[in-house]
Structure formats: C-alpha cells, structure tokens
C-alpha cells in the first residue's frame, strides 16, 4: 500500500476583476448582515406576551442596545435602515442588540380578539424588566422612536440603575390636552387610522411630496394584516400620561440623553420643550435638517455618527473612527440661564446639507453649526 502523505491546501479567495479590497470588504459585510437574522424570543409578562429579537453576543462590562419602535411600525420597519447602514457596523460589533416589538406588532402576529385590553404605555415599560431578566442583562442603552421613546423614558424613570443612556427620537413626554383631544377627534372624523398614523410619523411636506419612502410606508400601514392591533397601540399612545419632567427635580432622566428630531417634523415643538425640562449637563439635542419625520430612515448616516459621539461621551468606543461629522464642525456648546439664575451648559447638535461658517451669537442663544 502506498504511503499516504498529508498535503496542506491553502484556500485562496481572490478578488473579483476590478474589485478593490474596500469593495470586497463591503460586500463581505453586506453578506454577513444578510445572514445575521438574529434570534427571536417571546416572554410572558404580567401584561401579556412580548416578542424581541437579539443580535450578537453580550460583551463583558457593556450594556445591551435595546430599541423600541413607534406606532405603525415594528422593529424592522423602524430600525433596519439605521442598523444595516455601513457605518453602524462598528457600533453593532461592540454591543449586543435587543429589538423589541410592542405586543401584536411583530411580523405574523395574530389579531387580538375583540375586547382585548391593550397595555398602556406605562405597562409596556413594565414589561422590559421581564426581557432583561430572561436575557440576564443588567443594563441597557435605549433607542426609541415616538411611542417607543416614551416607553423607554417611562422605564428609565422607574429603573434608573439599569439605563446607562437614552437616544430618544421624536419624543412627546406630554399627555394630550383638551385642545389636542378635540383636534384628534375632529381628524378622526375625516381621516382613516392609517392616514392619522402617517401624519404622526411624517411631516406634511413629506406626505404632500408622496415620495417613494412615503408610498412604501403608506402601503405597509394601510395593508397591514394586524391593523386592528396597530390601532390599539395608537390608542394607548394617545392615552399616555404626562411624564412630568422637571429640571432640577427628582422626576427627570438621570442618565445621558440624546434627543433627536427632524427639521419640520410633527414633534419638533414637543422635543424642544422636552429638552428644556431635562438636565442640560446630561442632555444633547440633535435637530437634523433634511430628515423629515423619521431621521433613522432618511438620514441613517448622520444619526449613526451622532450615536458614535454619544457612546464616546459615555466612555465607550474611545478609538472609534469618525467619518462624516468628524470632518465638519457639528458640535456647539450653548449657555443658558436656568430658572434659579445660575448658568448651565447644554450640548446642541444641528445638521443641514449645506456647509457654512460657524455662526456667532450672544450668550444664552443656541448656535447651530451646518455640515
């Protein structure tokens, strides 16, 4: 018998003709993202079952990034463009992610039976400890949009020791007043539920323009098989309680917060008011131009870069490579007088598509920096 010889074969992966190493790396990254579908779990809570999807593995001494979506959306339609953005990959490689779907909002969710009592936003917040206990996670960095931003804020108020930071997009911390209720009821007489939700998600300019993005999301919401469930979530959002934020009081967010809103967005005034009620030394305010009502969908690059700065400010990803915003002047410090007359400092980020010089202004006025 002939003697067998061990032969070592080296697998080679040549680049395609004309393909640069950078392009090859991006293609490999895209393939990895497509293959990474995450692991979906459901857990029972005192207020019903809740579904969430986990991506990645926990990192030692690092919180999980936990997201919560807005009304009319689910975790994928709300956050997929942001977390699949190329520059976001550096972040998701450093953190495990938990994308939460509000009850009945997950893909393939059955319609709740007639008379089902949907959880209030406060009760949705009380479901989050069950998720963290199931996963054995001790702390999170929350990323929420609209109703999801409210839910995460309510959770942070009751469980401050488990929240290291919050990114709140389009948050409205106020309960509806009588005028709001009257307007809501009047609109309900002339508009369908999908159109009312679209008016909540996007600016009137966007809806009038009827872009491809608007057509896509109008189709998603109008033809959603769980539209009855969406309406229940919508009703819970409209029945929310006031978060009662007050600067200098015990009712405030104790962790670093980045408030985000698009220029001309439906919730611009509410986010500006929220910024005025939070601790200015802990709060960053990002007013993003050319982003409409959903910055995470229309400007994922700018939001990713701001998120990196936010994480660096918390002590994570100190060696992170900045790309777009680091090449332009995007951060400014504003001085504002607090109610007791003492000066405090708040951080404001503002972005637009045009470049320009650093504007100057008197103390106490916000300075916006374009990029």
């Amino acid at each position: 018998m002939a003697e067998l010889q061990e032969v070592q074969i080296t697998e080679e992966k040549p680049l395609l003709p004309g393909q640069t190493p950078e392009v090859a790396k991006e293609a490999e990254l895209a393939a990895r993202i497509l293959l990474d579908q995450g692991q979906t779990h459901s857990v029972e809570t005192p207020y019903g079952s809740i579904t969430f999807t986990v991506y990645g593995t926990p990192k030692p001494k690092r919180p999980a990034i936990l997201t919560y979506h807005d009304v009319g959306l689910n975790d994928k339609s709300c956050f997929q463009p942001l977390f699949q953005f190329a520059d976001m990959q550096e972040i998701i490689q450093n953190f495990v992610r938990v994308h939460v779907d509000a009850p009945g909002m997950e893909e393939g969710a059955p319609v709740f039976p007639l008379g089902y009592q949907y959880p209030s936003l406060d009760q949705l917040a009380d479901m989050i400890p069950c998720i963290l206990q199931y996963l054995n996670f001790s702390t999170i960095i929350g990323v929420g949009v609209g109703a999801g931003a409210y839910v995460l804020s309510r959770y942070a108020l009751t469980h401050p020791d488990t929240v290291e930071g919050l990114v709140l997009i389009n948050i409205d911390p106020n309960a509806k007043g009588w005028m709001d209720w009257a307007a809501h009821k009047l609109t309900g007489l002339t508009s369908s539920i999908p159109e009312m939700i679209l008016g909540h998600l996007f600016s009137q300019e966007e809806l009038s323009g009827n872009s491809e993005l608007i057509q896509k999301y109008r189709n998603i919401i109008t033809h959603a098989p769980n539209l009855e469930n969406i309406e229940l979530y919508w009703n819970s959002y409209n029945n929310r309680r006031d978060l009662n934020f007050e600067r200098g009081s015990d009712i405030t967010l104790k962790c670093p917060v980045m408030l985000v809103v698009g220029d001309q967005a439906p919730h611009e005034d509410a986010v500006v008011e929220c910024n005025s009620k939070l601790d200015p030394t802990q709060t960053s305010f990002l007013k993003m131009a050319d982003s409409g009502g959903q910055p995470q969908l229309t400007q994922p690059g700018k939001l990713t870069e701001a998120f990196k700065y936010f994480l660096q400010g918390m002590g994570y990803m100190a060696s992170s490579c900045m790309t777009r915003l680091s090449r332009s002047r995007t951060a400014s410090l504003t001085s504002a007088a607090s109610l007791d007359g003492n000066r405090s400092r708040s951080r404001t980020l503002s972005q637009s598509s045009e470049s320009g010089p650093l504007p100057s202004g008197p103390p106490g006025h916000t300075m916006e920096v374009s990029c």
Side-chain angles (χ1 to χ4, degrees):
M1 182 181 293
E3 183 177 356
L4 296 177
Q5 294 182 346
E6 183 178 351
V7 180
Q8 185 175 5
I9 300 177
T10 303
E11 182 181 3
E12 295 183 357
K13 297 180 180 179
L15 297 176
L16 295 176
Q19 190 178 43
T20 65
E22 290 76 16
V23 172
K25 183 178 180 181
E26 291 181 1
E28 182 181 357
L29 185 60
R32 182 182 62 78
I33 293 172
L34 290 175
L35 291 173
D36 183 14
Q37 299 299 317
Q39 294 182 331
T40 300
H41 308 266
S42 292
V43 63
E44 289 296 328
T45 78
Y47 307 103
S49 177
I50 191 163
T51 301
F52 50 93
T53 305
V54 182
Y55 293 84
T57 56
K59 305 298 188 292
K61 299 181 180 180
R62 290 203 171 187
I65 294 176
L66 185 144
T67 71
Y68 215 112
H69 61 86
D70 202 353
V71 176
L73 309 174
N74 59 27
D75 77 277
K76 291 183 176 60
S77 58
C78 188
F79 291 108
Q80 200 168 62
L82 176 64
F83 283 94
Q84 287 193 352
F85 190 75
D87 290 347
M88 178 61 77
Q89 305 316 303
E90 184 181 7
I91 293 177
I92 66 176
Q93 289 171 6
N94 285 276
F95 296 89
V96 62
R97 290 175 291 144
V98 181
H99 295 291
V100 180
D101 281 308
M105 302 302 126
E106 67 274 13
E107 292 183 345
V111 175
F112 290 123
L114 188 65
Y116 173 80
Q117 183 62 46
Y118 198 83
S120 66
L121 295 196
D122 290 8
Q123 291 171 334
L124 293 180
D126 289 338
M127 290 180 171
I128 295 177
C130 299
I131 298 174
L132 300 187
Q133 183 179 7
Y134 178 88
L135 296 172
N136 196 28
F137 291 168
S138 56
T139 60
I140 64 168
I141 295 172
V143 182
V145 182
Y150 180 102
V151 170
L152 291 177
S153 297
R154 175 64 72 184
Y155 171 75
L157 287 176
T158 55
H159 300 82
D161 293 339
T162 66
V163 182
E164 294 194 24
L166 288 173
V167 177
L168 305 176
I169 304 171
N170 296 338
I171 184 172
D172 187 345
N174 303 316
K176 278 185 173 294
W178 289 109
M179 294 297 293
D180 296 320
W181 270 113
H184 177 73
K185 293 296 183 183
L186 182 61
T187 303
L189 296 175
T190 58
S191 301
S192 64
I193 292 296
E195 288 301 319
M196 293 174 67
I197 293 175
L198 285 166
H200 161 77
L201 295 174
F202 299 101
S203 68
Q204 288 303 312
E205 290 80 0
E206 289 175 290
L207 294 175
S208 299
N210 199 29
S211 65
E212 184 177 341
L213 177 73
I214 298 300
Q215 294 177 33
K216 174 184 175 181
Y217 280 85
R218 176 177 279 115
N219 183 65
I220 288 174
I221 297 171
T222 302
H223 298 100
N226 62 337
L227 183 58
E228 292 89 344
N229 297 355
I230 294 174
E231 183 176 357
L232 293 176
Y233 188 20
W234 173 241
N235 291 336
S236 287
Y237 176 69
N238 287 311
N239 283 291
R240 65 189 181 277
R241 293 192 302 144
D242 199 314
L243 288 175
N244 292 316
F245 289 148
E246 185 177 347
R247 181 173 294 182
S249 74
D250 291 335
I251 306 178
T252 189
L253 299 175
K254 306 293 178 61
C255 62
V257 179
M258 182 168 74
L259 300 175
V260 183
V261 69
D263 193 20
Q264 304 300 317
H267 310 285
E268 182 179 353
D269 291 342
V271 178
V272 171
E273 181 182 353
C274 181
N275 182 53
S276 70
K277 294 181 178 181
L278 296 179
D279 182 354
T281 65
Q282 290 274 70
T283 306
S284 301
F285 177 49
L286 173 60
K287 183 178 177 182
M288 192 177 294
D290 304 320
S291 66
Q294 299 292 308
Q296 80 282 2
L297 300 179
T298 57
Q299 295 287 358
K302 291 180 180 180
L303 186 54
T304 295
E305 205 67 26
F307 191 22
K308 285 185 180 181
Y309 277 122
F310 182 69
L311 292 172
Q312 283 189 326
M314 296 173 60
Y316 297 111
M317 300 180 63
S319 60
S320 174
C321 177
M322 295 300 162
T323 55
R324 293 174 177 82
L325 298 190
S326 61
R327 293 195 295 266
S328 60
R329 293 165 297 183
T330 59
S332 65
L333 293 176
T334 63
S335 300
S338 61
L339 294 178
D340 61 359
N342 294 326
R343 288 187 177 272
S344 59
R345 304 188 72 179
S346 64
R347 295 168 292 172
T348 301
L349 294 175
S350 179
Q351 300 173 338
S352 72
S353 58
E354 300 178 358
S355 61
L358 177 67
S360 60
H365 288 237
T366 299
M367 295 187 296
E368 297 189 354
V369 186
S370 302
C371 68

